[in-house]
Amino acid sequence: MALPVKQQMIYWGIALAMFFVILWALGDVILPFLVGGAIAYFLDPVADWLERKGFTRIWATVLISLVAILVVVVAALIVIPLLVSQLTGLIAAAPELFERLRDFLTTRFPQLMDENSPLRDSLAAISETLQSRGGELVNGLLSSAMSVLNFIVFIVVVPVVSFYLLWDWDRMVARVDDLLPRDHRPVIRGLAKDIDRTLASFVRGQGTVCLILGTFYAVSLMIVGLQFGVVVGFVAGLISFIPYVGALFGGALALGLALFQFWGEWWWILAVAAIFQVGQLVEGNILTPNLVGGSVGLHPVWLIFALSAFGSVFGFVGLLVAVPVAAAIGVLIRFGVEQYKQSLLYRGLDNPGDE
């Protein structure tokens, strides 16, 4: 005999509360395990594909790990130092850029930049803040993000966790499936498949889109010769998972830098604008339809809210779990709406068969 619904809700509520308490209490301690689990989840389809090609699970995992190590080494030796160098250079140059912006506005639009202009006061305040705090910001980004010991633990633990989770992924899924309540197993399996489909479309598909776009923007802006183009392109690609935000933010920042650097050479400024236009066309017509699919089930506003809320409460760990939790909540809400539409509360006693 199944437990009453009220008692079931109590148990599921306790489990959910324990999840959030553990997430809040452990914080950065579980960060390497969350990252390792995310990597294993991302690479599981690759391991499954290699198994279908004749590899055993262990050798598929070893091959994926070797390729991943090679990519990380190349990134550590070439890409990451370039990004750090350009990021620190951009922060250091920000006061000068604001000074040049103020001079430009004063020359072109003197009526907006008189002595009593709020815009003039705002730009002056921003410039003074960047001059006084720019060095602190750089040091904070490079040194206070985590201690050296935590960083070493992170880079050692994450690959180990990823390897073992990827190796045992199918067995772990089977064990979890075996523990599902018998009365609700079909419903839970269906919900889990929907959540997995949403996550796969978003995390795997949209992550690949962000990687491709970030590489395209960074390489293209570097070829054009835009100062700080690599870091601007990388950031634009990184936040492209929110529709139009990556292109708008990255395009506005790149065009602003291009106006300072290429003023008078309009073809270069047009080339920077064309790069983001091409990126949007390729994303909308090729990448997103083929890699993400037509319906992910995560509305941009809901996604932004989840990232903001979880990031505020749980910090960086909250940002990592925001997307999976948002996807799960979205699936559960859609399931609840379907159940409501099939209930007498929605249909009424007089129209039990209405569609």
Side-chain angles (χ1 to χ4, degrees), residues 177-198:
D177 181 77
D178 185 60
L179 294 175
L180 295 179
R182 292 293 192 268
D183 290 336
H184 306 289
R185 178 173 290 183
V187 174
I188 296 176
R189 282 176 175 172
L191 292 173
K193 288 181 180 178
D194 287 342
I195 294 172
D196 178 66
R197 189 180 303 112
T198 301

Side-chain angles (χ1 to χ4, degrees), residues 170-182:
D170 293 338
R171 288 194 291 268
M172 289 189 302
V173 171
R175 290 171 186 168
V176 171
D177 181 77
D178 185 60
L179 294 175
L180 295 179
R182 292 293 192 268

Side-chain angles (χ1 to χ4, degrees), residues 168-311:
D168 286 332
W169 192 267
D170 293 338
R171 288 194 291 268
M172 289 189 302
V173 171
R175 290 171 186 168
V176 171
D177 181 77
D178 185 60
L179 294 175
L180 295 179
R182 292 293 192 268
D183 290 336
H184 306 289
R185 178 173 290 183
V187 174
I188 296 176
R189 282 176 175 172
L191 292 173
K193 288 181 180 178
D194 287 342
I195 294 172
D196 178 66
R197 189 180 303 112
T198 301
L199 277 179
S201 298
F202 189 86
V203 176
R204 295 172 183 149
Q206 195 64 59
T208 305
V209 170
C210 291
L211 180 61
I212 294 174
L213 284 178
T215 303
F216 169 73
Y217 289 143
V219 172
S220 300
L221 293 175
M222 183 176 61
I223 292 174
V224 168
L226 181 69
Q227 285 184 313
F228 316 117
V230 174
V231 68
V232 171
F234 176 78
V235 171
L238 186 65
I239 60 177
S240 292
F241 64 91
I242 305 175
Y244 304 110
V245 171
L248 289 175
F249 175 80
L253 183 57
L255 283 174
L257 293 172
L259 286 172
F260 285 116
Q261 182 177 346
F262 302 124
W263 183 260
E265 301 177 277
W266 304 109
W267 53 90
W268 291 118
I269 298 175
L270 291 175
V272 172
I275 288 171
F276 284 90
Q277 184 63 38
V278 170
Q280 280 298 285
L281 289 174
V282 172
E283 177 189 6
N285 295 286
I286 299 176
L287 296 179
T288 299
N290 289 282
L291 296 177
V292 179
S295 178
V296 176
L298 285 176
H299 194 278
V301 175
W302 170 238
L303 180 63
I304 294 172
F305 173 78
L307 290 170
S308 301
F310 278 83

